Amino acid sequence: MKRIPASVSSTSKAKGVTSTHFAESLVELLPRMRRFARGLARDGADGDDLCQATIERALKSSHLWQEGTRLDAWVYRIMRNLWIDETRARSRRAQTFAPEEEGEHVGVAGDAAIEAHAEMAHVDRAMAALPADQREAVMLVLVEGFAYKEAAEIIGCPMGTLTSRLVRGREALMRMLGETA
Amino acid sequence: MTDMTDEEIMAYVDGELEEEARGRVTLAALGDPDLAERIAAQRALRDRLSAHFAPIAQAPVPPEWARLIRQKTTPEPPRVAQVVDLAAARAARQPKQSGQTTQGRAWVSAAMAACLAIGVFAGTQWHGRDTGPISVKDGALVASGALGHALDTQLASAQGSGSIRMLGTFRRESGDVCRVFSGQQASGIACHDKGQWQLQHVLPGSQPEAGDYRQAGSADAELMGLAQSMAKGDPLDAQQEQAAKAKGWQ
C-alpha cells in the first residue's frame, strides 16, 4: 500500500479552532467522500488513504471555505487535486523502479466481500481501465450526481471538455460492460 | 430514425436538458424504438454505476475520521462527559453480543449527539394537531397526531425547532425501522410495523426546566441504552436515515 506524501498529510500546526458547523457538515459528508475516493483510486486501501489526506487538508484549509457555498464541491476539489499530485508522484517513482506491480494493482478491490461478487468486480475492472480524466468525470456525474457545470468547476475545466470526457468514458464503459448493462 | 448525437442522449439521461428540449426528446423517443433503446442503455449504465458504488457510501466510515475532525472543534462542556459515561455504563451492563465492540462506539457517539442537542420548546405543542400522541389500535399502542407526524417526517440528522426531537434511527432484528424520540409529554422508542409506528417503550417526557431551553436529560441516555439493546448493528447515519424515510420507513 502506498502512502499519500507526507507534505499533504501533516496537520501538526492547528490553525485555530474549526467551527462546529463545518466539522459536523464534514462528518456528514464522509461516506460520500469515501465513495469518490474509492472511485478515483480504484482501490479500497488507497481510497481510504486519499480520504484521510483530504480530511486533513480540509481541516487545515477550513478558513478558506466560504460559508454558503457547497462544502461537498469544495472538498471534492481538494480530493481530486490531492489524487492528481499522488498519481504524479507515483509515475515519478515508477520511472525509478521497475513498474511490475502496476499490472497486479489494476482492478484490485480492497474489500474482499465486494470483490467476491463477480458483477461488482466487472464494473470495477471497467472503471479501472478508463483514463483518469474520464473516470473522474464519470464518477462526479454518474455516481456522485453533480450537474455538468458543478463537475466542470470541481475539475477546473470548461464544460465542453467535461462533456466530451463523459461521452468517451461512457462509450468505453458500454463497450466493456456489454449489452448486459 | 431520429438524428441525435450520443452527447444529446447523455444530456437527456443526466437531466441536463432544458424542459423544452427534454420534451422534444421524449416525444421523439416515443415514435422511435432505436432512440428509445439508446436512451434506455444510457440510463441502465448510469443506474448500474450508481448501484455499484452505493454500498461504499452506506458502509460505516472508520470512526477515527470523525474523531480527527471533531478534535479540531470547540471543546465540549464538561457535563456532557458525565452523561456519556452514564450511557456507556448502561451499555456495558447490556449482555455482550457478537459484534458488540464495533457497534458500541457508534452508539456512544449517537448518545453523545443526543445529549448535546438542545431542544427549543416554543411554538407547536405536542397536541398541536387534533389527535393525541398515542392511541390504541388492535391492542397495540401506536403513535398518532403530532407524534406520528414527527416520526414520519423528522430526521434525527436535521433537527427542527419542533417540540418533538428524534434522537436516532436504527433497525431491529426483524429489519423494522425504529426511532428514538424525545418530547415534553413522553419520550420513547417506536418501530414501524404494518404501516404504523408501534410504541415499544414510553418514558415520561421532559418538561422544559427554565425558559425555552433545556439540556437533554438522563431519560434520553436511558433510551439510547435501550435502543442499543434492541438494535441490529449501528444506528442509521444521515444518508441511511434519509433513504429509509424516502422508502416510507420500510
Side-chain angles (χ1 to χ4, degrees):
Chain A
M1 194 180 80
K2 295 134 218 101
R3 302 297 310 180
I4 303 291
S7 60
V8 300
S9 58
S10 143
T11 50
S12 47
K13 274 184 294 173
K15 282 209 181 69
V17 176
T18 311
S19 90
T20 313
H21 171 67
F22 176 88
E24 290 311 310
S25 309
L26 192 59
V27 168
E28 214 167 286
L29 270 179
L30 289 175
R32 283 181 55 205
M33 286 166 63
R34 193 188 203 190
R35 175 174 63 188
F36 185 51
R38 167 69 177 273
L40 288 183
R42 297 168 289 175
D43 172 275
D46 280 354
D48 280 1
D49 282 354
L50 173 61
C51 199
Q52 172 139 1
T54 306
I55 293 166
E56 288 168 357
R57 174 63 64 87
L59 287 171
K60 247 170 53 174
S61 324
S62 63
H63 59 287
L64 298 176
W65 177 62
Q66 291 182 318
E67 194 102 19
T69 62
R70 285 183 65 158
L71 181 64
D72 57 354
W74 184 76
V75 171
Y76 277 45
R77 192 155 49 235
I78 290 176
M79 184 179 285
R80 58 88 56 184
N81 289 339
L82 282 177
W83 181 246
I84 284 174
D85 292 347
E86 168 66 10
T87 49
R88 282 186 190 140
R90 282 184 189 189
S91 70
R92 274 197 303 276
R93 281 198 298 270
Q95 283 164 9
T96 321
F97 303 105
E100 56 193 344
E101 67 163 341
E102 206 49 35
E104 55 185 307
H105 176 69
V106 169
V108 174
D111 187 338
I114 286 175
E115 198 183 358
H117 204 299
E119 140 75 15
M120 292 200 147
H122 199 41
V123 176
D124 278 336
R125 268 201 303 276
M127 284 292 282
L130 289 186
D133 57 354
Q134 294 175 24
R135 185 169 53 249
E136 168 181 76
V138 165
M139 279 304 293
L140 285 171
V141 174
L142 276 70
V143 177
E144 300 298 330
F146 284 101
Y148 292 177
K149 186 168 172 287
E150 295 162 344
E153 276 169 14
I154 289 170
I155 296 172
C157 70
M159 276 267 278
T161 309
L162 175 90
T163 51
S164 74
R165 285 175 188 172
L166 265 184
V167 167
R168 278 180 286 136
R170 276 170 133 129
E171 270 172 11
L173 285 173
M174 292 267 211
R175 223 172 25 245
M176 288 185 278
L177 295 172
E179 297 299 313
T180 59
Chain B
M1 166 104 192
T2 319
D3 185 27
M4 203 158 295
T5 64
D6 284 342
E7 192 163 340
E8 285 168 308
I9 292 177
M10 179 183 93
Y12 176 75
V13 169
D14 291 339
E16 292 280 336
L17 292 185
E18 298 293 329
E19 205 173 324
E20 201 190 322
R22 189 171 175 77
R24 271 202 307 273
V25 177
T26 307
L27 216 62
L30 285 173
D32 181 348
D34 286 338
L35 176 60
E37 204 171 295
R38 286 166 73 198
I39 291 171
Q42 286 292 351
R43 190 164 281 149
L45 178 68
R46 193 183 163 113
D47 290 348
R48 186 170 175 184
L49 286 177
S50 71
H52 174 74
F53 283 97
I56 299 166
Q58 280 154 12
V61 297
E64 59 268 24
W65 288 355
R67 264 203 301 277
L68 179 70
I69 293 168
R70 292 192 173 118
Q71 258 172 24
K72 304 271 174 191
T73 62
T74 328
E76 288 133 13
R79 65 176 291 186
V80 170
Q82 292 172 350
V83 183
V84 172
D85 286 348
L86 187 72
R90 195 165 274 116
R93 270 193 272 122
Q94 302 290 341
K96 283 267 178 279
Q97 295 160 359
S98 60
Q100 190 85 20
T101 44
T102 50
Q103 62 170 265
R105 273 190 298 230
W107 278 104
V108 170
S109 73
M112 190 190 313
C115 294
L116 278 170
I118 293 170
V120 180
F121 286 83
T124 43
Q125 289 298 304
W126 186 282
H127 281 294
R129 290 170 179 256
D130 38 23
T131 44
I134 296 167
S135 54
V136 180
K137 235 180 225 170
D138 302 322
L141 284 178
V142 299
S144 55
L147 176 57
H149 182 72
L151 287 165
D152 278 337
T153 56
Q154 254 171 255
L155 294 173
S157 54
Q159 294 294 355
S161 57
S163 61
I164 303 168
R165 292 176 306 124
M166 292 298 146
L167 305 185
T169 306
F170 62 93
R171 285 190 188 275
R172 62 176 169 184
E173 206 59 50
S174 63
D176 296 339
V177 174
C178 301
R179 312 198 72 200
V180 188
F181 63 90
S182 172
Q184 283 169 260
Q185 291 196 330
S187 300
I189 298 176
C191 294
H192 200 254
D193 191 11
K194 299 183 193 82
Q196 53 197 12
W197 291 104
Q198 299 200 352
L199 293 157
Q200 308 295 317
H201 296 281
V202 183
L203 297 177
S206 38
Q207 296 292 336
E209 285 162 7
D212 286 342
Y213 299 91
R214 55 145 216 159
Q215 178 85 31
S218 61
D220 291 352
E222 190 171 343
L223 282 171
M224 295 311 285
L226 277 169
Q228 187 181 5
S229 65
M230 288 170 68
K232 189 180 71 174
D234 288 332
L236 303 191
D237 64 25
Q239 271 192 326
Q240 291 165 337
E241 186 187 43
Q242 188 102 45
K245 181 189 174 190
K247 283 192 291 181
W249 305 108
Q250 292 301 306

